[in-house]
Amino acid sequence: MALALALFERLRDGTLFALLADTGRMALSNYLLQSAICAWLFLAYGARLMGSVSPLGALALAVIIFCVQLPLSRWWLRGHAYGPVEWLLRALTIAAWPRWRRSRAAYL
């Protein structure tokens, strides 16, 4: 744990830190997207891979999905203030429509 903390502290100004920060800002949207992808891959209405993927294969699949979500989250947040599900949750909790798009100056 100490090594991981030291590594993240060193990478704070780097691209990896920014990618992880953007992915964290869209955590609920990313979680639901991961769930939908895995449901499609493993259940009967999709590719039906349940029981045919080894634990190592499942770990590799999880890493691949997460690595795809890293730049996808960054791309989304360049033009939007929140992730799609985070926006809906914010709208429900404050009983008003929050801004959908970022201001132009925020992402130039």
Side-chain angles (χ1 to χ4, degrees):
M1 191 63 154
L3 288 173
L5 287 173
L7 177 65
F8 283 128
E9 190 64 35
R10 274 196 129 153
L11 297 175
R12 178 169 276 183
D13 297 328
T15 305
L16 177 62
F17 191 81
L19 285 172
L20 289 172
D22 289 338
T23 304
R25 288 184 54 213
M26 290 182 52
L28 183 57
S29 295
N30 284 325
Y31 169 73
L32 293 174
L33 180 59
Q34 289 169 3
S35 297
I37 290 169
C38 288
W40 184 83
L41 285 173
F42 292 107
L43 298 179
Y45 55 85
R48 298 180 180 195
L49 295 177
M50 174 95 57
S52 63
V53 177
S54 70
L56 186 59
L59 178 62
L61 184 62
V63 169
I64 289 168
I65 292 170
F66 184 71
C67 286
V68 168
Q69 286 181 318
L70 287 170
L72 183 64
S73 297
R74 187 163 183 88
W75 169 79
W76 178 268
L77 288 175
R78 282 190 180 165
H80 297 85
Y82 308 101
V85 181
E86 288 78 10
W87 180 86
L88 180 62
L89 184 61
R90 182 169 288 247
L92 291 172
T93 57
I94 65 173
W97 297 115
R99 70 183 197 279
W100 176 248
R101 294 271 185 191
R102 272 182 184 237
S103 64
R104 252 193 157 332
Y107 58 92
L108 286 180

